Amino acid sequence: MKKIIIAGGVLFASTVSATPFEKPEDAIEYRQAAFTMIATNFGALAEMVKGRKDWDQQTFSQRAQFISQLSYMPEEAFKVDGTDKGQTKAKPAIWSDWEGFSAKLDKFQGDMANLAKVSLDGDERATKRAFGEAAKNCKSCHSDYKYR
């Protein structure tokens, strides 16, 4: 039984690691969709942080959880050959400085995981601080790796 479970796990892991993209355009569309969902949720959080919408800790936390999960989605789509061309705002620096981009992406994922965690505690001030830290990293990555 143990061998079957291990074999199943290996098969599952190899299946998950294969990308679902047949063409570079599919990968570009996928990562743009993921970033759109991240931006939509992050924008809703920003509205609360800036006081433009009433503070709702439960909604904030839920959206922070969404963003944390979504933050992992775009990475595989940057690794597909040919996704540095076409209908994209991604700068060539992503691929010429993969180490730097990857470090910022890792920080983004960590910041979003932290924001999700902190938001669960219900401390509005701590949540807003975590949001501010996450927003700074978003802005720096956009400056270095995305055309406006």
Side-chain angles (χ1 to χ4, degrees), residues 44-85:
L45 300 184
E47 293 295 303
M48 283 190 255
V49 167
K50 294 175 181 177
R52 294 182 187 146
K53 288 200 174 180
D54 291 339
W55 185 262
D56 180 340
Q57 188 70 37
Q58 183 177 355
T59 298
F60 192 101
S61 182
Q62 181 182 39
R63 294 201 176 279
Q65 305 306 311
F66 292 159
I67 297 167
S68 180
Q69 294 299 310
L70 288 165
S71 71
Y72 293 91
M73 293 180 70
E75 185 172 9
E76 72 176 328
F78 282 106
K79 295 177 180 178
V80 175
D81 287 340
T83 60
D84 57 332
K85 297 169 183 55

Side-chain angles (χ1 to χ4, degrees), residues 6 8-9 12 32 42 47 52 89 95 97 102 117 129:
I6 291 170
F12 177 74
Q32 289 172 342
F42 204 77
E47 293 295 303
R52 294 182 187 146
K89 292 183 180 180
W95 295 273
D97 179 27
S102 185
K117 180 179 176 249
R129 273 195 308 276

Side-chain angles (χ1 to χ4, degrees), residues 38 42 45 64-72 106-119 130-131 133-135 137-138:
I38 290 167
F42 204 77
L45 300 184
Q65 305 306 311
F66 292 159
I67 297 167
S68 180
Q69 294 299 310
L70 288 165
S71 71
Y72 293 91
D106 287 346
K107 180 158 177 27
F108 168 66
Q109 293 163 344
D111 286 349
M112 294 308 150
N114 182 59
L115 178 61
K117 180 179 176 249
V118 169
S119 72
F131 176 87
E133 284 301 310
N137 186 47
C138 287

